[in-house]
Amino acid sequence: MVGTVPVVPTPLLVVLASARPDDRAEHVVLLDTDGNQHLPRPATAEVDRADLDLSEVEPMVLERLGASGKAGEVYALPDGRWLLGVGDGSDLAGLRKAGATLAGALRSRAERSRSAWSGSAQSRSGSRSGPDESPAGQPETSPGPEYEQQPETRPVALGVAELSASGREALVVGLILGSHQYRVSHRQPPLPGQAELVVPEAALPELRRQLEVAGTLAGATALARDLASTPSDVKTPTWLVETAAELAAEVPGLTAEVWPVERLRAEGFGGLLAVGGGSSRPPALLRLGWAPAGAPLADNRHLVLVGKGITFDTGGISIKPADGMHLMRTDMAAGGAVIAAMLAIARLGVPLRVTGLVPAAENHVSGSAYRPGDIVRHYDGTTTEVVNTDAEGRMVLADALGYAVRELAPDLIVDAATLTGAMKVALGMRTAGLFASDDELADAVLAASDRAGERLWRMPLLDHVADEVDSTIADVRQAPPGPPGISAALFLRRFTGGVPWVHLDIAGPARCDKPYDEVAAGATGFVARTLVELALGLATPS
């Protein structure tokens, strides 16, 4: 299997800034709900109105198509152009949806074209006089699937001069994420192609800056999807942390350190060792560090991000039902989001000190698996009474949080995890729960999620449930009674040392059955953009 999974990160649509569309580009007409049309006009004084590519779509054509400008409507026009609905042009969610829908339509057409092209190529090959010779008499070669020949795709051009800066960024995020595809197949998906955003010459520098931010945000989500989608026969804890370290090595200023199991034992990461003890694949810990050199920090605080990295979760001895267990390859979705966010923060050069921690383990069933009733000692010395081995996420997070407080001197901590099914019941599949010990940090994370277009809802930390975290035989018990999402958060709070802290339970939106807006089916990459936006927000003077 190792040789057949896609290389991470997978290819994405390339979006460029331009003052004049490529001559080969297919033009995209943007239609808003007021009936206004926005075309990718070149930034020159002369415009040939007879050129259909530069003229508005006739009203009768719009009527025949039933085009209303609703965000996400997409039509292939008879003249070879595309028509894309963008809503009122100011709704960012609508613009992300519009971009993703267009990218999806282009991908579907590319797949049909490749199938037809491959069939035609096979037909041509079958007509040759000799099975091993080309018409020119040269030996026929067969490249591997990763180099599979594909028909040429033309770029598309969109006029965005009248969109706001945030509107352009939202459209770009949608375009890029709509092009994302992770498949394990003998045939790789079509290459995503290229899009050009057209503005006047004077606006190009600003647009390029917007593309850098939007492209990096979208790339973070896509990478988080790639990591979470990778099957667990490949994605061991070691694979996850070493892949992240290899990606980090390509980003100047971003440091990576990996704890193998021997070091975890030596330093007392009891939660990680307990959870990972039932698997033949040992646990590991990843630490990513970003502290921009040579530039003053906009905010002197130290932000620590922690992401659950359970690469597969059987539930351990408290085993899960078979139905749905295959989805547990995505149980490290939050860890993938932290990895992707750290890479993005460094690429953008955010003037803020940020550390990312990903405790990685596989929760398996064997004679060496940890048991209900065990007492586990965590990194910070706190002891935990194990109640349910399927509540493994909080065990590895407790080690990482205790390490952060003791060793990193954090000013702010944000952890994320696919932690409890209770959040799916409470908030559904598109909204994550936010628990916080500090209102200011909670507000900053909520504002970041709003900019990112990832929904969070603040949940309470109830005092009467907090008392239930105490154990009669250890310091704390892992799965105390009470509302499961709340009691899990209160357990984690015991390891934060009074540092301002936010816990994000992303069990619902980390994966989905059917695509919507710019969100893909399967692993969604949820919360990666929010974490980047949080760092950007903290580093931007208010």
Side-chain angles (χ1 to χ4, degrees):
M1 177 62 77
V2 173
T4 63
V5 298
V7 175
V8 173
T10 52
L12 298 170
L13 182 79
V14 175
V15 184
L16 302 175
S18 176
R20 182 180 181 86
D22 187 294
D23 290 339
R24 300 177 301 114
E26 296 178 301
H27 287 199
V28 180
V29 180
L30 307 184
L31 176 68
D32 63 33
T33 48
D34 290 330
N36 301 309
Q37 299 184 33
H38 310 275
L39 292 88
R41 301 188 188 278
T44 57
E46 298 297 326
V47 175
D48 184 359
R49 297 296 298 182
D51 185 340
L52 288 176
D53 274 0
L54 301 178
S55 62
E56 293 189 349
V57 181
E58 295 291 338
M60 60 182 297
V61 175
L62 296 178
E63 184 176 357
R64 186 166 67 247
L65 293 172
S68 66
K70 180 181 176 181
E73 286 183 345
V74 62
Y75 302 95
L77 297 172
D79 58 20
R81 294 183 292 173
W82 293 88
L83 180 68
L84 178 65
V86 294
D88 65 7
S90 63
D91 175 41
L92 303 185
L95 287 166
R96 285 190 293 268
K97 179 178 181 178
T101 305
L102 175 62
L106 293 170
R107 186 180 68 242
S108 296
R109 187 185 65 172
E111 289 172 345
R112 293 192 300 269
S113 297
R114 186 178 66 173
S115 296
W117 186 84
S118 298
S120 174
Q122 291 174 0
S123 176
R124 291 193 302 272
S125 175
S127 67
R128 295 171 184 164
S129 57
D132 297 323
E133 294 188 357
S134 69
Q138 298 297 317
E140 185 72 20
T141 60
S142 178
E146 65 271 30
Y147 301 110
E148 186 174 22
Q149 293 180 345
Q150 299 187 16
E152 182 182 8
T153 58
R154 295 168 60 190
V156 293
L158 302 85
V160 298
E162 297 177 56
L163 292 180
S164 66
S166 58
R168 293 172 186 173
E169 291 181 7
L171 182 66
V172 170
V173 167
L175 282 166
I176 294 174
L177 291 181
S179 75
H180 177 264
Q181 192 173 20
Y182 184 99
R183 291 187 61 194
V184 180
S185 172
H186 71 289
R187 294 187 68 190
Q188 296 302 312
L191 296 174
Q194 179 177 303
E196 299 175 347
L197 302 191
V198 182
V199 296
E201 190 88 37
L204 283 176
E206 179 187 8
L207 178 58
R208 291 190 179 109
R209 287 192 296 271
Q210 293 158 1
L211 290 184
E212 179 187 12
V213 173
T216 303
L217 287 168
T221 297
L223 175 59
R225 292 179 183 177
D226 288 338
L227 294 171
S229 296
T230 299
S232 296
D233 54 339
V234 173
K235 184 176 53 189
T236 66
T238 299
W239 181 94
L240 178 63
V241 299
E242 289 186 350
T243 296
E246 290 170 5
L247 293 171
E250 300 172 2
V251 183
L254 183 62
T255 62
E257 187 174 4
V258 171
W259 276 250
V261 66
E262 295 81 9
R263 185 175 173 186
L264 295 177
R265 289 195 189 103
E267 297 187 13
F269 286 84
L272 256 175
L273 293 167
V275 172
S279 174
S280 62
R281 298 160 164 192
L285 175 69
L286 172 71
R287 172 177 166 177
L288 296 172
W290 168 249
L297 299 181
D299 188 315
N300 289 321
R301 289 178 293 181
H302 180 196
L303 171 66
V304 173
L305 307 176
V306 182
K308 172 184 169 184
I310 300 298
T311 56
F312 193 77
D313 182 18
T314 66
I317 288 176
S318 308
I319 197 163
K320 293 178 179 292
D323 185 29
M325 193 189 288
H326 64 287
L327 298 175
M328 290 300 100
R329 64 176 173 266
T330 66
D331 206 26
M332 42 56 64
V338 167
I339 291 167
M342 289 297 301
L343 290 164
I345 288 165
R347 286 179 176 131
L348 292 173
V350 179
L352 181 75
R353 185 181 174 204
V354 189
T355 299
L357 299 174
V358 179
E362 186 174 76
N363 188 23
H364 227 300
V365 185
S366 75
S368 60
Y370 80 130
R371 296 158 292 269
D374 285 359
I375 305 297
V376 172
R377 186 178 299 276
H378 293 280
Y379 182 88
D380 68 354
T382 301
T383 57
T384 291
E385 176 190 2
V386 177
V387 177
N388 182 337
T389 64
D390 194 24
E392 84 298 328
R394 66 198 72 179
M395 297 292 290
V396 302
L397 289 175
D399 270 354
L401 291 169
Y403 170 82
V405 171
R406 178 172 285 189
E407 307 295 342
L408 301 181
D411 298 291
L412 308 167
I413 300 175
V414 177
D415 80 68
T418 48
L419 207 64
T420 68
M423 282 299 97
K424 298 180 186 180
V425 176
L427 299 175
M429 301 300 288
R430 299 189 183 188
T431 305
L434 180 152
F435 300 83
S437 64
D438 181 84
D439 291 341
E440 182 181 350
L441 180 57
D443 290 344
V445 175
L446 287 167
S449 75
D450 187 56
R451 294 192 300 273
E454 297 177 322
R455 298 175 187 166
L456 302 177
W457 188 264
R458 188 166 182 183
M459 302 292 289
L461 292 169
L462 302 174
D463 290 339
H464 70 277
V465 179
D467 296 336
E468 300 291 344
V469 177
D470 293 326
S471 168
T472 58
I473 193 172
D475 294 324
V476 292
R477 52 179 165 173
Q478 167 215 36
I486 295 173
S487 61
L490 287 165
F491 170 85
L492 292 175
R493 189 175 67 173
R494 294 292 186 95
F495 297 86
T496 61
V499 176
W501 158 79
V502 159
H503 163 60
L504 303 175
D505 190 336
I506 66 170
R511 61 182 78 91
C512 71
D513 296 329
K514 294 186 293 186
Y516 62 93
D517 300 342
E518 79 281 7
V519 180
T524 65
F526 187 88
V527 97
R529 297 200 306 277
T530 292
L531 298 178
V532 181
E533 288 282 9
L534 173 63
L536 288 168
L538 292 173
T540 302
S542 56

